[in-house]
Amino acid sequence: MAAAKISLKILIEKKSQRVIFAEADKKFVDFLFSILTLPVGTVTRLLQKHDMAGSLHSLYKSFENLSDDLYLQPEQDKDFLLNPMVAIYGAKVPLLLPSVEQHSYSAKKFYRCSASHWYFCQNVANDRRAFCPSCNKLITNELRYIDYVDPVPKDTKASSSSEGGYVKGVITYMVMDDLDVKPMSIISAIILFTKFNVTDVGALEEKVVELGMDEGVKLLRASLQSSTVLTDVFLQNDQKIQNHNVKEEFGIEGVE
């Protein structure tokens, strides 16, 4: 899937310079939920150059540096842990993270014994490299297991089912600063204004931002370290620029 760019409308409380919420469509929400499918190895690899907190970076590097010949079992492939495929279960989501290999598991595959008398074997495996414990033959003959049968014919389904992804596209969503996602509603917006003590509409600023791969990685990192993710990703750079300008204009030191 080609790299995507997603536009997002955010509402900012100007005094505190914090995002109150973002008005998002299906694409952004699908991307957020796709983060939940990422294996730990993929997350660690993506964040290695971004001051990753914790010890997973060291664990990742130690496995990466182990000699294949001296220490690893012969059937092991380093990429299985260092660069695992992301299970997306047939959902098409915007690709906002670099070098993430997606693999669809919409239908599982199983294999049976390849021996001529396979009908006497009751052994099934999900890896065609396995050997049958009964006759010691490779289990390579493919079977197919459908774990869900839709009782509704495809041609009678709503057109929205062809959109893919995780959520429906006919709805506008509110994404909070901590990535809490809910359907857009006036009541939810009023509650947020009360929470932020917003009594004057003039204290709010609407801004349209774009997300590409760089912002996707920043959002992933912030989601693991912060409860003000949207503010950190979309306003942090603006705040640094403002502070830098203040230092230059007034010679003030220590402004962060």
Side-chain angles (χ1 to χ4, degrees), residues 42-104:
T42 298
V43 173
T44 306
R45 175 174 56 81
L46 290 173
L47 300 183
Q48 282 190 86
K49 299 179 181 180
H50 294 269
D51 300 323
M52 185 177 181
S55 304
L56 284 175
H57 170 68
S58 298
L59 184 63
Y60 185 96
K61 293 298 293 185
S62 65
F63 185 72
E64 185 178 41
N65 293 332
L66 280 179
S67 169
D68 295 39
D69 297 331
L70 295 178
Y71 304 112
L72 296 188
Q73 295 283 5
E75 71 274 11
Q76 293 298 329
D77 183 351
K78 277 188 175 180
D79 273 351
F80 184 77
L81 295 181
L82 299 180
N83 191 26
M85 288 188 293
V86 178
I88 57 173
Y89 292 91
K92 296 179 181 179
V93 298
L95 187 60
L96 291 179
L97 295 173
S99 304
V100 173
E101 185 177 358
Q102 296 181 334
H103 182 69
S104 176

Side-chain angles (χ1 to χ4, degrees), residues 167-213:
V167 297
K168 293 183 178 180
V170 295
I171 301 170
T172 300
Y173 299 89
M174 295 176 68
V175 181
M176 311 304 151
D177 206 7
D178 64 354
L179 301 187
D180 181 21
V181 179
K182 59 186 67 178
M184 190 77 179
S185 75
I186 296 177
I187 294 176
S188 296
I190 292 174
I191 292 174
L192 282 174
F193 294 158
T194 302
K195 177 182 177 181
F196 282 86
N197 296 318
V198 177
T199 57
D200 180 12
V201 178
L204 302 176
E205 177 187 357
E206 186 179 274
K207 183 177 182 181
V208 177
V209 295
E210 278 200 342
L211 289 90
M213 284 193 175

Side-chain angles (χ1 to χ4, degrees), residues 102-188:
Q102 296 181 334
H103 182 69
S104 176
Y105 288 101
S106 57
K108 300 174 183 177
K109 289 185 178 181
F110 291 92
Y111 305 90
R112 60 170 170 77
C113 181
S114 59
S116 58
H117 60 282
W118 62 266
Y119 40 86
F120 291 115
C121 296
Q122 301 298 317
N123 302 305
V124 177
N126 61 0
D127 189 334
R128 66 190 314 159
R129 296 172 298 179
F131 285 88
C132 176
S134 299
C135 54
N136 205 34
K137 296 289 185 180
L138 277 171
I139 301 181
T140 56
N141 290 347
E142 183 179 332
L143 302 171
R144 194 167 182 83
Y145 170 73
I146 307 298
D147 58 358
Y148 176 74
V149 178
D150 194 338
V152 182
K154 291 183 179 180
D155 56 358
T156 64
K157 290 183 179 181
S159 59
S160 61
S161 64
S162 62
E163 293 177 325
Y166 300 103
V167 297
K168 293 183 178 180
V170 295
I171 301 170
T172 300
Y173 299 89
M174 295 176 68
V175 181
M176 311 304 151
D177 206 7
D178 64 354
L179 301 187
D180 181 21
V181 179
K182 59 186 67 178
M184 190 77 179
S185 75
I186 296 177
I187 294 176
S188 296

